[in-house]
Amino acid sequence: MEKPATASPAMTIRKPEGVTIRAVAERAGVSAMTVSNVINGTGKVGPVTRATVLAAIEELGYRPNIAARRLAKARATTLGLVYSDRRTPFIDSVLLGALRATNARGLQFIAQAEEGLTREAAEAAVRALVQSGAAAVLLVPPFAELLSGSGLFEKLGVAAAAIATGRGLPDISTVRVDNRVAMAAMTAHVVDRGHRRIGFLAGPTSFSVADERLAGFREGMAANGLPVDPALVIRGGFDPASGAEAGRALLSLPDRPTAILCSSDDMAAGLIGEAHRMGLRLPQDLAVTGFDDTAIAARLWPPLTVIRQPVGDMAFRAVEQVLASLRSRQVEDRVVEFELVTRESVAGG
C-alpha cells in the first residue's frame, strides 16, 4: 500500500482551463493513450513520438493533474471527509456510506471532525486532510456551503463532492434530494389528514437545506390555500435540544398547532419528548413529522412519519462523483429520489 503523501508544492500544479490530454493528442497527431504513456512513463513509445508529444505539451502549456495521476498510479487512494464533531445519526449514516464505498474500491478513508463552523475552520480541516494524503474530499453541510467559492480546492489541486446540500453548488459536485419539493409533499400529506393549524421547526440559516425545507413548507401551505402563521415557525439547530425548546414554546400557545413539521429527525425527537412531558397524546392531540429517516425515526413513540433521503447511498454516490472529478474536473449536481414514509406519528398514516 502506498504511503500517504504529504502536502507539497507539487500538489498545486494544475493544467490550464480547457487543456486536456485529448487536446495534446490532437496537436501531436497521436492517441490519448500514447500521451498518457508519455506522461506516466509507461508503455512503448518511440523517441520521435515522445519528442512530438512533449513538444505539444510544452506548446499548449499542459500540466498534469497531480491528484488524478496519483489516483491512476496508486494502488490505494485516500479520500477524506470533513464533518461536524457533533455526532448525529445523520453523520453516522454518511460515515457508513462513505466507508462502504471506499472499501468497495480498495481506497483509504480518513475523516476530520471540525467544531468551528466558519470558512477559516473548514479550510483548515481540508488542508489537514490533504496533508494526510487525501486526493479528494467529501463534505457535508454547512462545510460545503462555507467552502463554495473559496477557490481552495483549485489551489490544492484536489476534487470535492458534497452530500445532502440544499441546492447545487457552482464549484463542488453535489448529491442531494429536492428538499423544497420533499417538504411541500409532506405538508400536503399533513393537510390531507385534516390539519390546518400547522407549525414548522426550521434549521439554522448556515445550512442550505434549512431554507429549502422552509420554502417547501410555505409552498405546500399556499398550494392548499392555507396561511402560514409566523408565530408557528421557529428556527433552531438540527438537534433534540432545539426541538424540545421549540416544542415548549409552540405547545404552550393558547391556540397551539395540531401538527408540527420538523426539519430533522433529531428535532422531532426533542419535540416528541416535550409533548409527552406535557401530557399530550400523539397523534390524537399532535401530529409530528421528521426529515432524513435516520435510525431514531422508527424507534420513537409513536414512530415518526418522515421524508426519507437515502443518506448512505448518497454518500456512496458522492465517492463516485469525486473519483470522476479527479479525472475530469467537471462539477455535477445529482438529485436523487426521496420517499415519504408514513408511520403512526400522523393519524391515518
PDB file of all heavy atoms in Angstrom, residues 120-146:
ATOM      1  N   GLU A 120     -12.799  29.712   7.707  1.00  0.00           N
ATOM      2  CA  GLU A 120     -11.407  29.503   8.110  1.00  0.00           C
ATOM      3  C   GLU A 120     -11.218  28.124   8.727  1.00  0.00           C
ATOM      4  O   GLU A 120     -10.246  27.426   8.431  1.00  0.00           O
ATOM      5  CB  GLU A 120     -10.987  30.584   9.103  1.00  0.00           C
ATOM      6  CG  GLU A 120     -10.881  31.988   8.513  1.00  0.00           C
ATOM      7  CD  GLU A 120     -12.238  32.623   8.241  1.00  0.00           C
ATOM      8  OE1 GLU A 120     -13.246  32.142   8.805  1.00  0.00           O
ATOM      9  OE2 GLU A 120     -12.287  33.597   7.467  1.00  0.00           O
ATOM     10  N   ALA A 121     -12.153  27.726   9.586  1.00  0.00           N
ATOM     11  CA  ALA A 121     -12.056  26.412  10.217  1.00  0.00           C
ATOM     12  C   ALA A 121     -12.222  25.298   9.189  1.00  0.00           C
ATOM     13  O   ALA A 121     -11.513  24.283   9.226  1.00  0.00           O
ATOM     14  CB  ALA A 121     -13.118  26.282  11.306  1.00  0.00           C
ATOM     15  N   ALA A 122     -13.151  25.498   8.250  1.00  0.00           N
ATOM     16  CA  ALA A 122     -13.365  24.493   7.212  1.00  0.00           C
ATOM     17  C   ALA A 122     -12.130  24.348   6.321  1.00  0.00           C
ATOM     18  O   ALA A 122     -11.733  23.225   5.958  1.00  0.00           O
ATOM     19  CB  ALA A 122     -14.578  24.867   6.369  1.00  0.00           C
ATOM     20  N   GLU A 123     -11.513  25.466   5.961  1.00  0.00           N
ATOM     21  CA  GLU A 123     -10.302  25.414   5.144  1.00  0.00           C
ATOM     22  C   GLU A 123      -9.181  24.694   5.875  1.00  0.00           C
ATOM     23  O   GLU A 123      -8.443  23.899   5.281  1.00  0.00           O
ATOM     24  CB  GLU A 123      -9.866  26.825   4.750  1.00  0.00           C
ATOM     25  CG  GLU A 123     -10.769  27.480   3.725  1.00  0.00           C
ATOM     26  CD  GLU A 123     -10.253  28.834   3.288  1.00  0.00           C
ATOM     27  OE1 GLU A 123      -9.302  29.353   3.922  1.00  0.00           O
ATOM     28  OE2 GLU A 123     -10.793  29.376   2.303  1.00  0.00           O
ATOM     29  N   ALA A 124      -9.046  24.953   7.171  1.00  0.00           N
ATOM     30  CA  ALA A 124      -8.002  24.294   7.959  1.00  0.00           C
ATOM     31  C   ALA A 124      -8.227  22.784   8.001  1.00  0.00           C
ATOM     32  O   ALA A 124      -7.270  21.999   7.922  1.00  0.00           O
ATOM     33  CB  ALA A 124      -7.977  24.870   9.375  1.00  0.00           C
ATOM     34  N   ALA A 125      -9.487  22.367   8.104  1.00  0.00           N
ATOM     35  CA  ALA A 125      -9.795  20.935   8.141  1.00  0.00           C
ATOM     36  C   ALA A 125      -9.448  20.275   6.813  1.00  0.00           C
ATOM     37  O   ALA A 125      -8.892  19.164   6.790  1.00  0.00           O
ATOM     38  CB  ALA A 125     -11.275  20.735   8.463  1.00  0.00           C
ATOM     39  N   VAL A 126      -9.754  20.944   5.711  1.00  0.00           N
ATOM     40  CA  VAL A 126      -9.428  20.384   4.393  1.00  0.00           C
ATOM     41  C   VAL A 126      -7.918  20.308   4.212  1.00  0.00           C
ATOM     42  O   VAL A 126      -7.382  19.297   3.717  1.00  0.00           O
ATOM     43  CB  VAL A 126     -10.071  21.225   3.273  1.00  0.00           C
ATOM     44  CG1 VAL A 126      -9.535  20.798   1.901  1.00  0.00           C
ATOM     45  CG2 VAL A 126     -11.590  21.077   3.310  1.00  0.00           C
ATOM     46  N   ARG A 127      -7.217  21.341   4.604  1.00  0.00           N
ATOM     47  CA  ARG A 127      -5.747  21.325   4.471  1.00  0.00           C
ATOM     48  C   ARG A 127      -5.141  20.184   5.293  1.00  0.00           C
ATOM     49  O   ARG A 127      -4.173  19.546   4.867  1.00  0.00           O
ATOM     50  CB  ARG A 127      -5.172  22.669   4.900  1.00  0.00           C
ATOM     51  CG  ARG A 127      -5.504  23.817   3.947  1.00  0.00           C
ATOM     52  CD  ARG A 127      -4.863  25.113   4.393  1.00  0.00           C
ATOM     53  NE  ARG A 127      -5.303  26.229   3.588  1.00  0.00           N
ATOM     54  CZ  ARG A 127      -4.796  26.564   2.401  1.00  0.00           C
ATOM     55  NH1 ARG A 127      -3.803  25.828   1.898  1.00  0.00           N
ATOM     56  NH2 ARG A 127      -5.257  27.600   1.733  1.00  0.00           N
ATOM     57  N   ALA A 128      -5.704  19.933   6.463  1.00  0.00           N
ATOM     58  CA  ALA A 128      -5.201  18.840   7.294  1.00  0.00           C
ATOM     59  C   ALA A 128      -5.401  17.497   6.597  1.00  0.00           C
ATOM     60  O   ALA A 128      -4.522  16.618   6.645  1.00  0.00           O
ATOM     61  CB  ALA A 128      -5.909  18.847   8.650  1.00  0.00           C
ATOM     62  N   LEU A 129      -6.538  17.328   5.930  1.00  0.00           N
ATOM     63  CA  LEU A 129      -6.785  16.084   5.202  1.00  0.00           C
ATOM     64  C   LEU A 129      -5.806  15.923   4.044  1.00  0.00           C
ATOM     65  O   LEU A 129      -5.273  14.829   3.807  1.00  0.00           O
ATOM     66  CB  LEU A 129      -8.223  16.065   4.673  1.00  0.00           C
ATOM     67  CG  LEU A 129      -9.322  15.840   5.702  1.00  0.00           C
ATOM     68  CD1 LEU A 129     -10.694  16.010   5.063  1.00  0.00           C
ATOM     69  CD2 LEU A 129      -9.217  14.450   6.323  1.00  0.00           C
ATOM     70  N   VAL A 130      -5.577  17.004   3.311  1.00  0.00           N
ATOM     71  CA  VAL A 130      -4.652  16.949   2.178  1.00  0.00           C
ATOM     72  C   VAL A 130      -3.234  16.633   2.663  1.00  0.00           C
ATOM     73  O   VAL A 130      -2.509  15.843   2.055  1.00  0.00           O
ATOM     74  CB  VAL A 130      -4.690  18.271   1.392  1.00  0.00           C
ATOM     75  CG1 VAL A 130      -3.594  18.296   0.322  1.00  0.00           C
ATOM     76  CG2 VAL A 130      -6.058  18.447   0.727  1.00  0.00           C
ATOM     77  N   GLN A 131      -2.838  17.229   3.768  1.00  0.00           N
ATOM     78  CA  GLN A 131      -1.519  16.947   4.324  1.00  0.00           C
ATOM     79  C   GLN A 131      -1.397  15.495   4.776  1.00  0.00           C
ATOM     80  O   GLN A 131      -0.304  14.933   4.821  1.00  0.00           O
ATOM     81  CB  GLN A 131      -1.237  17.895   5.491  1.00  0.00           C
ATOM     82  CG  GLN A 131      -1.001  19.324   5.059  1.00  0.00           C
ATOM     83  CD  GLN A 131      -0.917  20.293   6.229  1.00  0.00           C
ATOM     84  OE1 GLN A 131      -1.093  19.897   7.383  1.00  0.00           O
ATOM     85  NE2 GLN A 131      -0.662  21.557   5.927  1.00  0.00           N
ATOM     86  N   SER A 132      -2.545  14.867   5.077  1.00  0.00           N
ATOM     87  CA  SER A 132      -2.543  13.457   5.461  1.00  0.00           C
ATOM     88  C   SER A 132      -2.614  12.533   4.252  1.00  0.00           C
ATOM     89  O   SER A 132      -2.663  11.319   4.411  1.00  0.00           O
ATOM     90  CB  SER A 132      -3.727  13.166   6.399  1.00  0.00           C
ATOM     91  OG  SER A 132      -3.593  13.890   7.602  1.00  0.00           O
ATOM     92  N   GLY A 133      -2.650  13.119   3.047  1.00  0.00           N
ATOM     93  CA  GLY A 133      -2.612  12.313   1.836  1.00  0.00           C
ATOM     94  C   GLY A 133      -3.892  12.269   1.046  1.00  0.00           C
ATOM     95  O   GLY A 133      -3.978  11.538   0.052  1.00  0.00           O
ATOM     96  N   ALA A 134      -4.922  13.009   1.450  1.00  0.00           N
ATOM     97  CA  ALA A 134      -6.194  12.956   0.736  1.00  0.00           C
ATOM     98  C   ALA A 134      -6.068  13.554  -0.661  1.00  0.00           C
ATOM     99  O   ALA A 134      -5.595  14.681  -0.822  1.00  0.00           O
ATOM    100  CB  ALA A 134      -7.278  13.688   1.514  1.00  0.00           C
ATOM    101  N   ALA A 135      -6.482  12.791  -1.670  1.00  0.00           N
ATOM    102  CA  ALA A 135      -6.508  13.280  -3.047  1.00  0.00           C
ATOM    103  C   ALA A 135      -7.853  13.904  -3.388  1.00  0.00           C
ATOM    104  O   ALA A 135      -7.989  14.584  -4.405  1.00  0.00           O
ATOM    105  CB  ALA A 135      -6.214  12.136  -4.017  1.00  0.00           C
ATOM    106  N   ALA A 136      -8.868  13.646  -2.555  1.00  0.00           N
ATOM    107  CA  ALA A 136     -10.208  14.171  -2.780  1.00  0.00           C
ATOM    108  C   ALA A 136     -10.901  14.290  -1.440  1.00  0.00           C
ATOM    109  O   ALA A 136     -10.550  13.598  -0.477  1.00  0.00           O
ATOM    110  CB  ALA A 136     -10.998  13.250  -3.711  1.00  0.00           C
ATOM    111  N   VAL A 137     -11.902  15.168  -1.374  1.00  0.00           N
ATOM    112  CA  VAL A 137     -12.542  15.477  -0.098  1.00  0.00           C
ATOM    113  C   VAL A 137     -14.057  15.418  -0.255  1.00  0.00           C
ATOM    114  O   VAL A 137     -14.621  15.946  -1.213  1.00  0.00           O
ATOM    115  CB  VAL A 137     -12.128  16.878   0.401  1.00  0.00           C
ATOM    116  CG1 VAL A 137     -12.854  17.221   1.706  1.00  0.00           C
ATOM    117  CG2 VAL A 137     -10.616  16.943   0.623  1.00  0.00           C
ATOM    118  N   LEU A 138     -14.707  14.774   0.710  1.00  0.00           N
ATOM    119  CA  LEU A 138     -16.156  14.761   0.813  1.00  0.00           C
ATOM    120  C   LEU A 138     -16.576  15.756   1.893  1.00  0.00           C
ATOM    121  O   LEU A 138     -15.892  15.895   2.910  1.00  0.00           O
ATOM    122  CB  LEU A 138     -16.663  13.368   1.174  1.00  0.00           C
ATOM    123  CG  LEU A 138     -16.279  12.221   0.240  1.00  0.00           C
ATOM    124  CD1 LEU A 138     -16.790  10.896   0.796  1.00  0.00           C
ATOM    125  CD2 LEU A 138     -16.819  12.460  -1.156  1.00  0.00           C
ATOM    126  N   LEU A 139     -17.704  16.414   1.675  1.00  0.00           N
ATOM    127  CA  LEU A 139     -18.186  17.435   2.603  1.00  0.00           C
ATOM    128  C   LEU A 139     -19.650  17.197   2.925  1.00  0.00           C
ATOM    129  O   LEU A 139     -20.399  16.646   2.117  1.00  0.00           O
ATOM    130  CB  LEU A 139     -18.042  18.829   1.982  1.00  0.00           C
ATOM    131  CG  LEU A 139     -16.652  19.247   1.511  1.00  0.00           C
ATOM    132  CD1 LEU A 139     -16.754  20.471   0.612  1.00  0.00           C
ATOM    133  CD2 LEU A 139     -15.749  19.544   2.705  1.00  0.00           C
ATOM    134  N   VAL A 140     -20.056  17.631   4.111  1.00  0.00           N
ATOM    135  CA  VAL A 140     -21.462  17.695   4.459  1.00  0.00           C
ATOM    136  C   VAL A 140     -21.760  19.135   4.871  1.00  0.00           C
ATOM    137  O   VAL A 140     -20.849  19.882   5.220  1.00  0.00           O
ATOM    138  CB  VAL A 140     -21.816  16.722   5.607  1.00  0.00           C
ATOM    139  CG1 VAL A 140     -21.652  15.284   5.165  1.00  0.00           C
ATOM    140  CG2 VAL A 140     -20.958  16.994   6.838  1.00  0.00           C
ATOM    141  N   PRO A 141     -23.040  19.558   4.807  1.00  0.00           N
ATOM    142  CA  PRO A 141     -23.371  20.901   5.260  1.00  0.00           C
ATOM    143  C   PRO A 141     -23.002  21.079   6.732  1.00  0.00           C
ATOM    144  O   PRO A 141     -23.091  20.117   7.512  1.00  0.00           O
ATOM    145  CB  PRO A 141     -24.891  20.958   5.070  1.00  0.00           C
ATOM    146  CG  PRO A 141     -25.166  19.948   3.981  1.00  0.00           C
ATOM    147  CD  PRO A 141     -24.190  18.845   4.245  1.00  0.00           C
ATOM    148  N   PRO A 142     -22.586  22.298   7.148  1.00  0.00           N
ATOM    149  CA  PRO A 142     -22.517  23.507   6.330  1.00  0.00           C
ATOM    150  C   PRO A 142     -21.157  23.720   5.675  1.00  0.00           C
ATOM    151  O   PRO A 142     -20.907  24.776   5.108  1.00  0.00           O
ATOM    152  CB  PRO A 142     -22.773  24.613   7.360  1.00  0.00           C
ATOM    153  CG  PRO A 142     -22.081  24.100   8.592  1.00  0.00           C
ATOM    154  CD  PRO A 142     -22.312  22.597   8.578  1.00  0.00           C
ATOM    155  N   PHE A 143     -20.253  22.721   5.747  1.00  0.00           N
ATOM    156  CA  PHE A 143     -18.902  22.926   5.229  1.00  0.00           C
ATOM    157  C   PHE A 143     -18.896  23.119   3.718  1.00  0.00           C
ATOM    158  O   PHE A 143     -18.079  23.869   3.190  1.00  0.00           O
ATOM    159  CB  PHE A 143     -18.003  21.759   5.643  1.00  0.00           C
ATOM    160  CG  PHE A 143     -17.863  21.619   7.124  1.00  0.00           C
ATOM    161  CD1 PHE A 143     -18.432  20.561   7.809  1.00  0.00           C
ATOM    162  CD2 PHE A 143     -17.187  22.581   7.863  1.00  0.00           C
ATOM    163  CE1 PHE A 143     -18.329  20.448   9.183  1.00  0.00           C
ATOM    164  CE2 PHE A 143     -17.068  22.481   9.239  1.00  0.00           C
ATOM    165  CZ  PHE A 143     -17.644  21.409   9.891  1.00  0.00           C
ATOM    166  N   ALA A 144     -19.806  22.441   3.020  1.00  0.00           N
ATOM    167  CA  ALA A 144     -19.879  22.613   1.569  1.00  0.00           C
ATOM    168  C   ALA A 144     -20.220  24.058   1.223  1.00  0.00           C
ATOM    169  O   ALA A 144     -19.594  24.683   0.353  1.00  0.00           O
ATOM    170  CB  ALA A 144     -20.908  21.662   0.982  1.00  0.00           C
ATOM    171  N   GLU A 145     -21.221  24.608   1.915  1.00  0.00           N
ATOM    172  CA  GLU A 145     -21.625  25.988   1.644  1.00  0.00           C
ATOM    173  C   GLU A 145     -20.524  26.976   2.045  1.00  0.00           C
ATOM    174  O   GLU A 145     -20.308  27.987   1.359  1.00  0.00           O
ATOM    175  CB  GLU A 145     -22.908  26.306   2.412  1.00  0.00           C
ATOM    176  CG  GLU A 145     -24.140  25.541   1.947  1.00  0.00           C
ATOM    177  CD  GLU A 145     -24.332  24.215   2.670  1.00  0.00           C
ATOM    178  OE1 GLU A 145     -23.341  23.688   3.232  1.00  0.00           O
ATOM    179  OE2 GLU A 145     -25.451  23.688   2.658  1.00  0.00           O
ATOM    180  N   LEU A 146     -19.844  26.699   3.131  1.00  0.00           N
ATOM    181  CA  LEU A 146     -18.783  27.596   3.588  1.00  0.00           C
ATOM    182  C   LEU A 146     -17.623  27.657   2.599  1.00  0.00           C
ATOM    183  O   LEU A 146     -17.006  28.713   2.406  1.00  0.00           O
ATOM    184  CB  LEU A 146     -18.265  27.135   4.957  1.00  0.00           C
ATOM    185  CG  LEU A 146     -19.200  27.340   6.146  1.00  0.00           C
ATOM    186  CD1 LEU A 146     -18.664  26.616   7.377  1.00  0.00           C
ATOM    187  CD2 LEU A 146     -19.384  28.820   6.444  1.00  0.00           C
TER     188      LEU A 146
END
